[in-house]
Each structure stands twice: as C-alpha cells, then as structure tokens.
Amino acid sequence: MLRAGLTVALSLVLVDAARAETAFQILSGHGGPIMSVDIGPDGTALTGSFDNALGLWDLDDAAPRWLDGHEAAVKTAVFVGDDRIASAGDDDTILIWDRASGSVLHRITGHSAKIMALAASPDGRMIASASWDRTVGIWDVETGALIQTMTGHSQLVNDVAFGAEGTIYSAANDGTVRQWRVADGTQIGTLVRHGFGVNRLLVDPAADWLAYGAVDGGTRAIQLSTGTELADLTLDRRPILSMARRADGGQIAVGDGEGYIMVVNTADWSIVHDFRAARQGPIWALGYTADGTGLLAGGIEDAAYLWPLSDLGTGTQMAEQPREFHVDPATVSNGERQFLRKCSICHSLTDTGGRKAGPTLRGLFGREAGAVAGYTYSDAVAASDIIWEAETIDALFRLGPDHYTPGSKMPMQQITGADDRADLIAYLRAATAVDD
C-alpha cells in the first residue's frame, strides 16, 4: 500500500480537563470510506476501511499504525482480549492479528462469501462471524480453528453477538433474529420475525434486552427472556446500518443511511440525542469510548469522527463536502463521470493520492498489469500478461473484473454501454498521461 500524502487532521476541543472528557477529533489517513470502528479498554481506536486496511489510533496523539493484509474492503474489525485483533470483509477472510507486532497470526478462509460482522466472546477465547454465505461461524482465537457452524438462515447473515451461558444471536436479511447454542450449533429459537432484513443487533444478557435495526428503518428493543417488546424507537429514516452499546449497557447509539445518529438511554428507552452527524451519506460504523464519554463514527468520508457525548450535534459534521462520485453530471464530461462513479473510490490519478484500495492509474496506458511498485497485487493480476490499452480496459468493464481478471481485488462491476466505455477510455488516456 502507498503511504504517501498521509495526514492526520486533528481538531481538539478541551472540555472539563479535570474529568479528562473525550475531545473532538477527526482521524484522517485512510484512502476509502470507514466501514468499521472499535475502541479498546485502553482507549485505542481501531478503524477498518474500504481501502482494505486497518488503522490503530492512540487518541492521545492520533498517529496511526497501519495493518495491511486484506485483499478487499474491511467491513468489520474488533479488539479481542488485551492482545489480539480480528478483522474480516469482502475477501471472505478473517484475520487474527497480534496487536503488539501487527503480524497476522491466522488467516481463516472458512466462509464462501463476504463477512459483515465479527464479535468477540466475553473471555476473548472465541470470535463469531456473520457471513453472506448464510452461516455463522465460531472460531478459536488462539488456533484459528473452526469450533462450530450455525446454519438455518434462509438469506444473508448481517450481524452476530454473544449472549449468556454459551449462546449466540444472529441477524439476517430473512428478517429474523435467532439464538443458537455454541456447544453444538443448534438453534434455540427465533426471537424476532421482522418482515424486513435485520442489519444490526445488540445484546445485554445481564439487563435482559436485545435491540435491533432493520432495512426498513425499524429499530426496536425486546426482553430476551420473554420476547416482549420494550420499545419501538423507529424514526422516519432508513436503513439502520450501525449500532453500538456503551460498556455499562446504559446507552446505545444507532446510525442510519441518511447520516443521523440517535442516542438512547436503556433505563427507560428514551431518546436523549438525535442529530445529523453526516451531511452526505450513511453512518456505517459506531463505537463508544471505553469511559463512555465519546462516540466514534465512520461513514462515506475517508476519516472517522470522535465526538464528546456532552457536545453531540454542535460540532463539525462528517462529509460536509460531497464525495467526488456525487458530482453533478452536468458539470463534467461523460468520461470523467464514469471515472468518478466507477474508479475514483479505489484509484488515484496521481502518485500522491494517499492510501487507496487500488494502485495509482498514473501512466496506465502501455503498463503491464501488476507493475506499480509498492502495491500488493492479487496473485491473479500479478501473474497475468495483460497490458493496459484501450482494448483491455474496454474488455475489463465490458465483461467485469470477476470474468476478465478472476481472483483479483477489483469489485464486481460493469459498464454496459459501449459509448460510456469509450468515453471513460478517452478520459483515462488524457488524465493518466505522464509528461515527458
């Protein structure tokens, strides 16, 4: 991965120094949207991004350490105990990291589709994974071995959480939340039949509640022991994309596709904050600081935002400027529009584009595939004999990367219109040219 041009933009608001309350910060440096956040007991923040990387942030100085090992977008990353990290995403792979050295201890390839969520057991000995192959996996942290597989969901599994006494909960696009026994993988019961896909869930066994958020914006809390509805927190926004629970269980936060964050006290299920956190795009990730005084969020911007809970809604918004792929099509040529929509989130046109999921396109024409120094290519691209010219670029987008370069990191996408492909090629020829 290229590391040029990294900056750490920090804005600090000092509040009540005696309490050392969370200060507002912007954690910048990733080269893609932030898909996952977590904060450990020691205050270290963990971010996972569309740029395939993890960032480890000491919030006292916010200088990131980068963990590179995934071959596609990181959708989920969690701290496991005091010395491990688990991450997973669009490469269908779970990585177990040694936190101190940043080395990969285990590369787990047991799922056959992207992994949307991970959860660590309370004792730190197991991780659970929710995959779009419609299964839940339980894995041993020390060995990486599969402990159990739960099958039964009829559609994509989106989230997973550990419960009490050897149980686990899962949420899926089939609209259900189910409870399972870890020891033998059997289903104990179905707690929720929502009717629309359930994206996120939170569980507090000690307080006897489960909260979930769904595609239709439905946000509800139920009593675990009886299934009785405790609260309907649904607002007129959809879908629910992220949820976080404060360490003491007294508060949860809910993020949606329209850029809002709702904060709820679980003692009486009252909404205590509801604010527009992002001017553009969704809230994909949420996490509380260990002391419960701050809330970390990730979305369409290449940065995570940390707000003090005492000052929610009054500070800087995420994504105040639209992303390049949201540009008004009337203001750019069709070729540039195709680049912005299909390529810009992963590729830079310069050598100083920062961290990106894909290599720079500068000097693209006439270049061998897999030839940019410093970028780690997939084996499929590194071993190919492709030369990037008009004909090969046209074939890439006519057939789609999954057919033209099977096994590559590029996401599945096509440009079906021949004129659109021709306009993109013409734009790239001019925009990626290297001056003599």
Side-chain angles (χ1 to χ4, degrees), residues 34 52 66 109 165 248 311 321 351 387 398 406:
I34 308 301
N52 306 351
W66 300 110
T109 56
E165 300 176 353
D248 64 3
D311 197 32
Q321 300 299 318
D351 288 336
I387 304 295
R398 175 170 50 84

CSV table of all heavy atoms in Angstrom, one decimal, residues 34 52 66 109 165 248 311 321 351 387 398 406:
chain,number,residue,atom,x,y,z
A,34,ILE,N,-15.0,4.7,5.9
A,34,ILE,CA,-14.8,3.9,7.1
A,34,ILE,C,-16.0,3.0,7.3
A,34,ILE,O,-17.1,3.5,7.5
A,34,ILE,CB,-14.6,4.9,8.3
A,34,ILE,CG1,-13.5,5.9,8.0
A,34,ILE,CG2,-14.2,4.1,9.5
A,34,ILE,CD1,-12.2,5.4,7.7
A,52,ASN,N,-9.0,-1.4,2.3
A,52,ASN,CA,-8.5,-2.8,2.6
A,52,ASN,C,-7.7,-2.8,3.9
A,52,ASN,O,-7.1,-3.8,4.2
A,52,ASN,CB,-7.7,-3.4,1.5
A,52,ASN,CG,-8.4,-3.4,0.1
A,52,ASN,OD1,-9.6,-3.1,0.0
A,52,ASN,ND2,-7.6,-3.7,-0.9
A,66,TRP,N,-0.7,1.2,10.6
A,66,TRP,CA,-1.5,0.6,9.6
A,66,TRP,C,-1.3,-0.9,9.6
A,66,TRP,O,-0.1,-1.4,9.7
A,66,TRP,CB,-1.1,1.2,8.2
A,66,TRP,CG,-1.4,2.6,8.1
A,66,TRP,CD1,-0.4,3.6,8.0
A,66,TRP,CD2,-2.6,3.3,8.1
A,66,TRP,NE1,-1.0,4.9,8.0
A,66,TRP,CE2,-2.4,4.7,8.0
A,66,TRP,CE3,-4.0,2.9,8.2
A,66,TRP,CZ2,-3.4,5.6,8.0
A,66,TRP,CZ3,-5.0,3.8,8.2
A,66,TRP,CH2,-4.7,5.2,8.1
A,109,THR,N,-10.1,-18.9,6.2
A,109,THR,CA,-10.8,-18.8,4.9
A,109,THR,C,-12.0,-19.8,4.9
A,109,THR,O,-12.3,-20.4,3.8
A,109,THR,CB,-9.8,-19.2,3.7
A,109,THR,OG1,-9.2,-20.5,4.0
A,109,THR,CG2,-8.7,-18.1,3.6
A,165,GLU,N,-24.2,-17.7,28.9
A,165,GLU,CA,-24.2,-19.2,29.1
A,165,GLU,C,-24.1,-19.9,27.8
A,165,GLU,O,-24.9,-20.8,27.4
A,165,GLU,CB,-25.5,-19.6,29.8
A,165,GLU,CG,-25.7,-18.9,31.2
A,165,GLU,CD,-27.0,-19.3,31.8
A,165,GLU,OE1,-27.8,-19.9,31.1
A,165,GLU,OE2,-27.2,-18.9,33.0
A,248,ASP,N,-21.2,0.0,29.9
A,248,ASP,CA,-22.0,-0.3,31.1
A,248,ASP,C,-23.4,-0.7,30.7
A,248,ASP,O,-24.3,-1.0,31.6
A,248,ASP,CB,-22.0,0.9,32.0
A,248,ASP,CG,-22.7,2.2,31.4
A,248,ASP,OD1,-23.2,2.1,30.3
A,248,ASP,OD2,-22.7,3.2,32.1
A,311,ASP,N,-21.4,17.1,23.7
A,311,ASP,CA,-21.4,18.1,22.7
A,311,ASP,C,-21.9,17.6,21.4
A,311,ASP,O,-21.6,18.1,20.3
A,311,ASP,CB,-20.1,18.7,22.6
A,311,ASP,CG,-20.1,20.1,21.9
A,311,ASP,OD1,-21.0,20.8,22.0
A,311,ASP,OD2,-19.1,20.4,21.1
A,321,GLN,N,-18.4,18.2,2.6
A,321,GLN,CA,-18.2,18.3,1.2
A,321,GLN,C,-18.6,17.0,0.5
A,321,GLN,O,-18.2,16.0,1.0
A,321,GLN,CB,-16.8,18.7,0.8
A,321,GLN,CG,-16.3,20.0,1.4
A,321,GLN,CD,-17.2,21.2,0.9
A,321,GLN,OE1,-17.5,21.3,-0.2
A,321,GLN,NE2,-17.5,22.1,1.9
A,351,ASP,N,0.5,10.1,-8.2
A,351,ASP,CA,1.3,9.3,-7.3
A,351,ASP,C,1.2,9.7,-5.9
A,351,ASP,O,1.8,9.1,-5.0
A,351,ASP,CB,2.8,9.5,-7.7
A,351,ASP,CG,3.1,8.7,-9.0
A,351,ASP,OD1,2.4,7.8,-9.4
A,351,ASP,OD2,4.1,9.1,-9.7
A,387,ILE,N,-1.6,-6.1,-20.8
A,387,ILE,CA,-1.1,-4.8,-21.0
A,387,ILE,C,-2.3,-3.8,-21.1
A,387,ILE,O,-3.2,-4.1,-21.9
A,387,ILE,CB,-0.2,-4.7,-22.3
A,387,ILE,CG1,0.9,-5.7,-22.3
A,387,ILE,CG2,0.3,-3.3,-22.4
A,387,ILE,CD1,1.9,-5.5,-21.2
A,398,ARG,N,-16.4,-4.3,-19.9
A,398,ARG,CA,-17.5,-5.0,-20.7
A,398,ARG,C,-17.8,-6.3,-20.0
A,398,ARG,O,-19.0,-6.7,-19.9
A,398,ARG,CB,-17.1,-5.2,-22.1
A,398,ARG,CG,-18.0,-6.0,-23.0
A,398,ARG,CD,-17.7,-5.9,-24.5
A,398,ARG,NE,-16.3,-6.2,-24.7
A,398,ARG,CZ,-15.8,-7.5,-24.8
A,398,ARG,NH1,-16.6,-8.5,-24.7
A,398,ARG,NH2,-14.5,-7.7,-25.0
A,406,PRO,N,-10.4,-12.9,-13.0
A,406,PRO,CA,-11.0,-13.6,-11.9
A,406,PRO,C,-9.9,-13.8,-10.8
A,406,PRO,O,-8.8,-14.2,-11.0
A,406,PRO,CB,-11.4,-15.0,-12.5
A,406,PRO,CG,-10.6,-15.1,-13.8
A,406,PRO,CD,-10.4,-13.7,-14.3
